[in-house]
Amino acid sequence: MNTVKQKFIPSNKKSNELSLDAFLLVVKDNAEAQKTAEEIQVWLQSLQKKATIVNAFVDEFKLQNLAYEHNIVLVLGGDGTILGISRRLYNIAIPILGINFGKVGFLTEISPDSWKEALTDLFAGKYQIQNFTPLHFEHIRDNKIIHSGIAINDVVIARGFVARAIYISLSIDDIFLSDLHCDGLICSAPLGATAYAASSHGPLAFPSLDAHILTPISPFAGAFPPLVMPRESTIQIKVLDDRETAITIDGQDAYHAELNDLLYVRSADHPISMLVSDPYWFWKRLGDRGFIMPGPGKYTRQ
């Protein structure tokens, strides 16, 4: 059986305390991103650094083994690329840094035209690791796990192609809470609070919180406010009818759910690690991306 060795990165380290002599450049299918990756590779090699370019859709086993041979993953893509790579490298826990070639850029730290300045700051120790706890899910049918894995942002159970509500039962820590007629439920990690959960009026949460969040989508019968739970809690959802129902992971992978299927969601065993230049990036990005808008009146930023 093919196996990948694991390595885990301690938190609160500055970038100059890390080994930064081997960079894995993971590139989305984008000509500009590929060109920039090649420029970065040449620049890093001129500094006597190892730099390997790989496509974001490379085989997972190859990606994991390449990551094990490098100190840092530099993702040239958008938030979706960051999510996909973070899931696939979860058991490696190598720190990730993003250069934004997407539309939103909430998770990607660096703009494409400032990569050299950013990497110079990285070598100077101006970045630090922040750890984020993702989710672990299990999809069970007839007492067997048919799907399981990691979600960086969220696990969503919702209606499929037909625009009608689903009927589900919700328990937390084996305590029954409600039978719900709703469009769905969003189980999100704090890092994913600004994704689908925010559009469904879920709470914003600092991404490094060790917790998870449950947000209902348009509940009709049975309702509750969004819940923030400690990592020790487990969410249990049961499908109560045969309406078309889907389980979606980070908006990227989807599984069909049937009557009496169970979905368990909890905090994952260990975090993922990302490099950030500002430990308070989240508060600033909420305003920059329009999640929090200025109210009436006049104020001055200090």
Side-chain angles (χ1 to χ4, degrees), residues 135-140 154-157 168-178 180 185-189 211-216 224 226-238 261-267:
L135 302 173
H136 180 270
F137 72 92
E138 292 180 347
H139 178 195
I140 297 174
D154 50 40
V155 177
V156 179
I157 183 166
I168 55 178
S169 174
L170 170 67
S171 299
I172 297 177
D173 297 333
D174 293 323
I175 297 174
F176 171 77
L177 290 188
S178 180
L180 292 163
L185 285 177
I186 305 168
C187 310
S188 58
H212 46 272
I213 303 163
L214 186 62
T215 304
F224 58 90
L227 300 175
V228 181
M229 291 161 284
R231 67 166 294 117
E232 296 81 11
S233 288
T234 298
I235 300 165
Q236 177 183 316
I237 300 166
K238 183 176 183 179
D261 279 8
L262 296 173
L263 174 64
Y264 289 94
V265 183
R266 58 173 175 81
S267 292

Side-chain angles (χ1 to χ4, degrees), residues 5 10 22 37 55 58 65 77 82-83 88 101 109 117 131 135 145 147 152 159 163 171 173 182 193-194 220 277:
K5 296 180 182 179
N55 187 276
V58 70
N65 277 286
I82 289 274
L83 295 175
R88 295 166 70 194
F101 283 91
E109 174 80 16
E117 294 85 352
N131 288 333
L135 302 173
I145 298 174
H147 304 108
I152 307 301
R159 59 193 183 190
S171 299
D173 297 333
C182 59
T194 52
F220 171 70
S277 59

Side-chain angles (χ1 to χ4, degrees), residues 84-107:
I85 295 302
S86 296
R87 280 200 313 276
R88 295 166 70 194
L89 294 181
Y90 172 72
N91 285 326
I92 310 298
I94 187 171
I96 293 174
L97 180 61
I99 299 179
N100 185 31
F101 283 91
K103 296 178 180 178
V104 179
F106 197 89
L107 301 179

Side-chain angles (χ1 to χ4, degrees), residues 215-293:
T215 304
I217 309 171
S218 302
F220 171 70
F224 58 90
L227 300 175
V228 181
M229 291 161 284
R231 67 166 294 117
E232 296 81 11
S233 288
T234 298
I235 300 165
Q236 177 183 316
I237 300 166
K238 183 176 183 179
V239 179
L240 296 180
D241 66 8
D242 58 0
R243 303 183 192 196
E244 186 171 348
T245 304
I247 298 169
T248 306
I249 311 302
D250 288 337
Q252 295 178 337
D253 298 334
Y255 309 109
H256 174 67
E258 298 180 357
L259 174 65
N260 294 322
D261 279 8
L262 296 173
L263 174 64
Y264 289 94
V265 183
R266 58 173 175 81
S267 292
D269 291 336
H270 61 79
I272 60 169
S273 301
M274 293 188 184
L275 282 158
V276 299
S277 59
D278 182 353
Y280 304 107
W281 65 273
F282 179 72
W283 307 126
K284 298 174 182 178
R285 218 160 287 177
L286 289 178
D288 293 342
R289 301 298 192 273
F291 286 93
I292 295 179
M293 303 297 291

Side-chain angles (χ1 to χ4, degrees), residues 4-253:
V4 178
K5 296 180 182 179
Q6 296 186 0
K7 59 180 179 182
F8 296 99
I9 307 298
S11 60
N12 302 320
K13 276 196 172 185
K14 296 286 187 180
S15 52
N16 61 354
E17 298 177 77
L18 301 171
S19 296
L20 296 175
D21 55 2
F23 285 70
L24 181 62
L25 282 61
V26 181
V27 188
K28 69 180 293 185
D29 285 330
N30 177 291
E32 190 62 31
Q34 180 67 32
K35 178 183 176 183
T36 302
E38 292 168 0
E39 293 172 355
I40 294 173
Q41 183 183 49
V42 170
W43 184 76
L44 288 171
Q45 289 173 343
S46 74
L47 299 176
Q48 308 304 309
K49 309 290 184 182
K50 179 179 178 179
T52 305
I53 298 175
V54 65
N55 187 276
F57 297 102
V58 70
D59 171 79
E60 182 170 324
F61 182 74
K62 180 179 180 179
L63 177 69
Q64 291 175 346
N65 277 286
L66 281 171
Y68 189 75
E69 298 168 359
H70 295 74
N71 309 127
I72 180 172
V73 173
L74 194 61
V75 176
L76 289 81
D79 287 351
T81 311
I82 289 274
L83 295 175
I85 295 302
S86 296
R87 280 200 313 276
R88 295 166 70 194
L89 294 181
Y90 172 72
N91 285 326
I92 310 298
I94 187 171
I96 293 174
L97 180 61
I99 299 179
N100 185 31
F101 283 91
K103 296 178 180 178
V104 179
F106 197 89
L107 301 179
T108 43
E109 174 80 16
I110 303 168
S111 64
D113 57 357
S114 63
W115 65 262
K116 188 176 292 186
E117 294 85 352
L119 293 183
T120 299
D121 287 344
L122 179 73
F123 291 125
K126 295 182 180 179
Y127 279 73
Q128 69 179 57
I129 283 180
Q130 278 194 347
N131 288 333
F132 308 115
T133 301
L135 302 173
H136 180 270
F137 72 92
E138 292 180 347
H139 178 195
I140 297 174
R141 181 177 299 155
D142 297 328
N143 296 316
K144 297 179 181 178
I145 298 174
I146 60 172
H147 304 108
S148 65
I150 297 297
I152 307 301
N153 263 2
D154 50 40
V155 177
V156 179
I157 183 166
R159 59 193 183 190
F161 294 108
V162 180
R164 61 183 181 185
I166 61 173
Y167 191 33
I168 55 178
S169 174
L170 170 67
S171 299
I172 297 177
D173 297 333
D174 293 323
I175 297 174
F176 171 77
L177 290 188
S178 180
D179 288 338
L180 292 163
H181 229 149
C182 59
D183 285 353
L185 285 177
I186 305 168
C187 310
S188 58
L191 189 63
T194 52
Y196 193 4
S199 66
S200 298
H201 310 291
L204 299 177
F206 197 79
S208 58
L209 284 176
D210 204 6
H212 46 272
I213 303 163
L214 186 62
T215 304
I217 309 171
S218 302
F220 171 70
F224 58 90
L227 300 175
V228 181
M229 291 161 284
R231 67 166 294 117
E232 296 81 11
S233 288
T234 298
I235 300 165
Q236 177 183 316
I237 300 166
K238 183 176 183 179
V239 179
L240 296 180
D241 66 8
D242 58 0
R243 303 183 192 196
E244 186 171 348
T245 304
I247 298 169
T248 306
I249 311 302
D250 288 337
Q252 295 178 337
D253 298 334

